[in-house]
Amino acid sequence: KRIMSKEVDFSVIKFQKYDDYLDSFTTIHDTYYLGDADVARCIAQLGYRSTKAPYSEDEFAARYDSAMNELQPKIMGLDPFSIYMSPDTTDPVILSFKQRELPIFSKQLSTIVFTSCMHRDGSEMSGYLDLEQSWLDAMRRTFKHTNWKQIYQGKAKLKPKPHHLSFRNLRDNVVLYNDSENFRVLHDHRYGLIFKHKGDHKLIPMCGKRTPFAKNVICTLVASPKFGSYIFYDHYVRKKV
């Protein structure tokens, strides 16, 4: 059995489960030629796809818990909104918000969320928001802040607002863009809407087009039977800011 070093590996917290971690050692070609993602993971687990052997499932779990425990003291001065959620909550969207609290408040992660809703006439309102700033605005009780307590309690849906990074209201023909504490809004004639992280200056493209910056973001669609679908754009910060 391999002896684990005491060094904390923060890279594991970007993976929601062990299979996702193993997938980071495989390529699209592996799955294509082997014809099975599980077989590709087994080969990766044996260490054939990297100079560094991947963690076993038990090692991965231990490393994940160690990283989270290390981050915990750094956000003890803040009361995350997950304290308001029911312990029986199974809603995938609410759980996705909770999962990101530790890494976001410890400045390991910076997340943009795409959300949308429909007017009664069927027209759409949508936008992108800086998740950390939205939480902090609610803690500061800034003007027109989002009621995150009600969202975590399952009583309200996260909706786009005009002061978010991007806001689009088709009914009123309104399109607005605003920089946040973590991101600057950019418009590229080739790749469209892009956000630049102010800390490590990495470019964060929105899913839909192939760009040279795709490695800077992990894009995840999360659907809730109660609140609809959200897209999470997770950027792991290259240095502490």
Side-chain angles (χ1 to χ4, degrees):
K1 185 177 180 179
R2 183 168 53 182
I3 298 175
M4 286 179 54
S5 71
K6 294 183 179 180
E7 183 178 349
V8 179
D9 185 355
F10 291 105
S11 68
V12 297
I13 65 176
K14 70 176 72 175
F15 305 105
Q16 297 184 28
K17 54 184 183 292
Y18 184 60
D19 281 353
D20 293 340
Y21 168 70
L22 288 180
D23 286 343
S24 70
F25 290 89
T26 67
T27 67
I28 296 176
H29 298 292
D30 292 335
T31 306
Y32 177 78
Y33 287 113
L34 294 170
D36 192 315
D38 289 334
V39 175
R41 292 181 189 122
C42 287
I43 291 177
Q45 195 170 18
L46 293 172
Y48 291 123
R49 300 298 298 156
S50 173
T51 56
K52 176 185 175 183
Y55 299 130
S56 68
E57 189 164 4
D58 288 342
E59 287 174 332
F60 173 80
R63 291 284 186 181
Y64 189 96
D65 291 343
S66 176
M68 286 304 190
N69 288 336
E70 182 69 16
L71 295 176
Q72 182 72 49
K74 299 177 183 178
I75 69 164
M76 287 182 64
L78 299 172
D79 287 327
F81 288 99
S82 57
I83 63 174
Y84 299 110
M85 65 185 282
S86 167
D88 301 323
T89 294
T90 59
D91 186 272
V93 169
I94 295 177
L95 292 176
S96 293
F97 288 134
K98 181 182 185 299
Q99 177 193 0
R100 288 165 172 79
E101 287 178 340
L102 270 173
I104 284 179
F105 284 133
S106 61
K107 297 296 184 181
Q108 298 289 324
L109 177 70
S110 200
T111 297
I112 294 171
V113 179
F114 174 81
T115 179
S116 64
C117 61
M118 304 294 289
H119 292 292
R120 292 182 178 179
D121 61 6
S123 60
E124 184 183 53
M125 183 169 64
S126 62
Y128 294 91
L129 63 96
D130 179 340
L131 186 55
E132 180 186 14
Q133 180 161 348
S134 185
W135 282 338
L136 293 176
D137 284 346
M139 292 174 180
R140 300 164 183 155
R141 298 184 179 277
T142 59
F143 184 62
K144 293 185 178 180
H145 66 269
T146 296
N147 191 332
W148 278 99
K149 179 179 178 180
Q150 287 197 346
I151 291 174
Y152 271 92
Q153 290 175 332
K155 298 178 180 178
K157 171 183 169 64
L158 176 62
K159 295 182 179 181
K161 294 179 179 289
H163 65 271
H164 287 161
L165 285 168
S166 167
F167 175 79
R168 188 180 184 211
N169 188 337
L170 293 178
R171 183 184 65 182
D172 299 331
N173 197 28
V174 173
V175 178
L176 300 171
Y177 299 101
N178 307 280
D179 291 345
S180 71
E181 294 179 7
N182 294 304
F183 295 98
R184 181 171 292 111
V185 181
L186 302 176
H187 298 275
D188 189 279
H189 69 282
R190 294 164 298 176
Y191 307 120
L193 181 63
I194 290 180
F195 299 105
K196 182 177 182 179
H197 191 267
K198 292 182 178 180
D200 61 13
H201 308 295
K202 297 294 183 180
L203 298 180
I204 314 300
M206 299 299 95
C207 293
K209 292 184 179 181
R210 299 181 65 178
T211 76
F213 323 115
K215 65 181 180 179
N216 296 333
V217 63
I218 299 174
C219 178
T220 307
L221 173 66
V222 180
S224 161
K226 183 176 182 179
F227 300 109
S229 298
Y230 296 81
I231 303 177
F232 291 82
Y233 298 86
D234 293 315
H235 170 62
Y236 283 86
V237 183
R238 298 298 189 269
K239 63 180 180 179
K240 293 183 179 180
V241 293

